[in-house]
Amino acid sequence: MLPMQSLGVDIETVKGFLDAQEGAALFDAALTSAALGPCLEIGSYCGKSTVYLGRACEQKNTLLFAVDHHRGSEEHQLGEEYHDPQLFDAQQGRMDSFREFRTTLARAQLENTVVPIVAPSALAARYWNTPLGMVFIDGGHSMEAALTDYRCWAPHVVRGGLLAIHDVFPNPADGGRPPFEIWQLAQASGLFEAMPLVKTLGILRRL
């Protein structure tokens, strides 16, 4: 198990929805794949997954690209289930997690390892040409958002690299279906081989 003190910050004080066991699996996955190229995550929110991935990338002397428009997913909006008033910019009348994200990077001393890309996933991917050792998808959970993330970023994973998807629920009674469906789509493509799930974290290796 990953020693929590090695993350450089008390991870439980970072806002987010990533389980510690899933985070440790992300850390290990990034450690093994970072030798193949930089890593990239979609859906940084306040930086909990960024700390796990970024610390692994730091150890391997590579970079983590963190893609998020920081305006929140559907469930983060005003009046929705996961809305956080502390992340709501009353002056703009919009959710904004970027300030909190930057604070997390500073606390974890990862500002020289993590490259924030503050843009929608499809926009950030439009002219992307850098091969990636690992891609972690944890963006919007609508079918449109999940498909966009998968179609935009999975092709950039190099052979032997990893594609990770959060909130994969095989039982529809446990949670939303889009992450599970793109996890299945990746396997059906013949380009990825699935490894055992770590709670709701699906990790697949590019063949």
Side-chain angles (χ1 to χ4, degrees):
M1 178 64 69
L2 171 70
M4 291 298 107
Q5 61 269 24
S6 68
L7 293 173
V9 66
D10 181 357
I11 199 66
E12 294 307 316
T13 66
V14 180
K15 293 176 184 288
F17 310 97
L18 187 72
D19 174 87
Q21 188 176 338
E22 296 170 341
L26 270 185
F27 176 87
D28 289 341
L31 272 183
T32 62
S33 58
L36 300 173
C39 301
L40 181 144
E41 69 170 352
I42 304 104
S44 304
Y45 193 49
C46 296
K48 181 166 278 192
S49 59
T50 315
V51 171
Y52 286 103
L53 293 167
R55 189 61 69 212
C57 288
E58 180 188 53
Q59 290 189 21
K60 293 299 182 178
N61 196 30
T62 190
L63 296 177
L64 170 66
F65 296 98
V67 178
D68 196 316
H69 49 60
H70 288 285
R71 294 303 185 186
S73 301
E74 300 86 347
E75 65 272 16
H76 298 141
Q77 303 310 313
L78 191 63
E80 297 299 325
E81 182 179 3
Y82 292 103
H83 175 70
D84 185 339
Q86 294 181 346
L87 301 178
F88 187 73
D89 186 330
Q91 188 173 14
Q92 294 189 50
R94 304 175 74 185
M95 185 268 193
D96 187 353
S97 58
F98 188 50
R99 182 189 294 270
E100 186 75 14
F101 175 72
R102 291 189 67 180
T103 298
T104 299
L105 292 189
R107 289 172 58 207
Q109 298 184 321
L110 285 171
E111 291 168 303
N112 292 323
T113 298
V114 178
V115 181
I117 301 177
V118 185
S121 177
L123 183 62
R126 186 176 296 177
Y127 295 107
W128 191 270
N129 289 309
T130 302
L132 298 167
M134 179 177 175
V135 166
F136 173 50
I137 297 177
D138 192 19
H141 285 8
S142 69
M143 197 64 225
E144 180 182 5
L147 275 174
T148 294
D149 292 341
Y150 171 71
R151 289 169 175 166
C152 284
W153 296 105
H156 295 290
V157 179
V158 300
R159 285 191 176 185
L162 300 176
L163 172 65
I165 302 170
H166 192 222
D167 290 331
V168 173
F169 294 104
N171 183 350
D174 294 332
R177 300 302 283 165
F180 173 75
E181 291 183 16
I182 63 169
W183 178 71
Q184 284 194 311
L185 194 62
Q187 295 174 71
S189 73
L191 297 175
F192 291 93
E193 178 182 36
M195 295 156 48
L197 287 171
V198 178
K199 293 195 171 179
T200 73
L201 179 68
I203 300 178
L204 309 99
R205 186 177 304 279
R206 177 73 187 261
L207 300 174

